[in-house]
Amino acid sequence: MATKSALTQQLGVVVGFDDPRADLEQYRTPPDLAAHLVHTADLQGDVEGKTVVDLGCGTGMLALGAALRGPEAVVGIDIDPAPLATARENERRIGTASVVSWVRGDATAAPFWPGTETTVIMNPPFGAQQGNEHADRAFLATAADIADVSYSIHNADSADFVEAFAEDNGGEVTHAFRAEFDLPKAFDFHTDDRRNIDVEVFRIDW
């Protein structure tokens, strides 16, 4: 198994959004955070030989990280076709041996059921935009429907919500860790050139 630092370096070539949409909270997942999540999932036996589904995959950071760790299959799903085109370009940059299927679809509507052991990985919208509160709830609902295990990134101090949602839907949070999300300025309403925000990553056994 390659090291987490090696995975971070490999993911450094993954580019972000050309024209990000605020309503979809489109931000590039930092390579070090993506590598941490994927490496942790791999250590738990949740990547190699499994079907890995990235819900709201954007330009493919998490999906491509998983693809470098020997999964049976990887599927990236996003409702916006523009980042999916970038994700395909990123796949060529990475040069992974695993084939990734990029699917345009609504990640909150369970567009398919893989039918095999499935791990969901995702960086869902945090619900920071007005009218988009609790957007991550719908992504967790899809994970509950299609996954055996999921890993998801949420705002800091989301433990009570995530644990309660998991319990209400037949799941259990087995692991959690805090991390930082490096957020460069992407929209006009951002006042800082970049910010570090605190996040939490949760592993849920469904």
Side-chain angles (χ1 to χ4, degrees):
M1 180 188 299
T3 65
K4 182 173 68 175
S5 60
L7 183 57
T8 300
Q9 186 174 10
Q10 288 175 291
L11 292 176
V13 302
V14 174
V15 301
F17 298 86
D18 289 332
D19 188 19
R21 289 175 52 180
D23 62 315
L24 296 178
E25 297 186 36
Q26 292 179 331
Y27 303 101
R28 174 180 180 259
T29 305
D32 57 341
L33 177 54
H36 192 169
L37 186 155
V38 170
H39 186 72
T40 300
D42 201 10
L43 288 174
Q44 295 299 317
D46 294 328
V47 177
E48 187 174 0
K50 303 295 180 14
T51 296
V52 179
V53 180
D54 182 356
L55 297 176
C57 65
T59 63
M61 182 70 79
L62 291 173
L64 293 171
L68 291 165
R69 290 299 182 92
E72 179 70 23
V74 178
V75 181
I77 301 171
D78 203 280
I79 199 168
D80 186 355
L84 287 175
T86 304
R88 293 184 182 94
E89 295 172 6
N90 283 330
E91 183 182 2
R92 289 191 286 272
R93 290 187 182 93
I94 289 285
T96 173
S98 299
V99 176
V100 184
S101 299
W102 304 106
V103 177
R104 184 183 181 187
D106 185 351
T108 69
F112 71 100
W113 282 262
T116 59
E117 282 192 88
T118 300
T119 298
V120 160
I121 55 177
M122 57 182 175
N123 178 20
F126 292 165
Q129 298 301 310
Q130 187 174 3
N132 207 28
E133 293 84 357
H134 306 299
D136 49 357
R137 181 185 297 272
F139 281 75
L140 285 171
T142 299
D145 284 342
I146 71 172
D148 298 283
V149 173
S150 69
Y151 291 78
S152 52
I153 303 168
H154 300 264
N155 264 329
D157 302 319
S158 294
D160 289 345
F161 155 64
V162 175
E163 289 170 359
F165 184 93
E167 184 176 354
D168 289 345
N169 289 273
E172 179 185 7
V173 174
T174 62
H175 298 72
F177 61 83
R178 287 183 174 268
E180 284 192 345
F181 195 118
D182 180 32
L183 190 65
K185 182 174 182 177
F187 304 106
D188 290 340
F189 59 79
H190 286 166
T191 57
D192 301 321
D193 287 338
R194 64 187 325 111
R195 289 179 60 194
N196 282 326
I197 61 173
D198 294 326
V199 297
E200 290 182 280
V201 180
F202 298 92
R203 179 189 186 272
I204 304 175
D205 188 342
W206 298 103

